Amino acid sequence: MKKINKPYLQRKINRLNKKIHRAESQDEQNKVWWRKIKLNKLKDKLNHTYQ
């Protein structure tokens, strides 16, 4: 099982941001919407776990 630590979550957030920007440039609003939801969950998890 993978260890979910701060660098891992930051890397996931960074990758998801790249995917969101790519989808925005291609006008795929449905993908943007779903990815932003997932991004918010990851950010909440990062802030809740490491404060």
Side-chain angles (χ1 to χ4, degrees):
M1 189 169 161
K2 234 177 209 192
K3 289 184 180 180
I4 299 177
N5 52 16
K6 189 173 182 176
Y8 175 77
L9 288 174
Q10 288 173 334
R11 188 169 56 245
K12 296 290 272 187
I13 289 171
N14 190 23
R15 285 184 187 165
L16 201 53
N17 270 328
K18 288 179 184 178
K19 286 184 176 185
I20 289 170
H21 291 301
R22 194 176 317 125
E24 284 175 343
S25 67
Q26 296 173 354
D27 276 343
E28 295 180 4
Q29 295 304 318
N30 195 32
K31 286 185 179 180
V32 171
W33 186 76
W34 281 109
R35 288 174 178 163
K36 282 187 178 180
I37 290 173
K38 188 171 182 178
L39 181 68
N40 287 335
K41 286 183 181 179
L42 283 173
K43 284 183 179 179
D44 288 342
K45 194 176 205 180
L46 180 66
N47 289 334
H48 179 69
T49 309
Y50 297 101
Q51 276 192 354

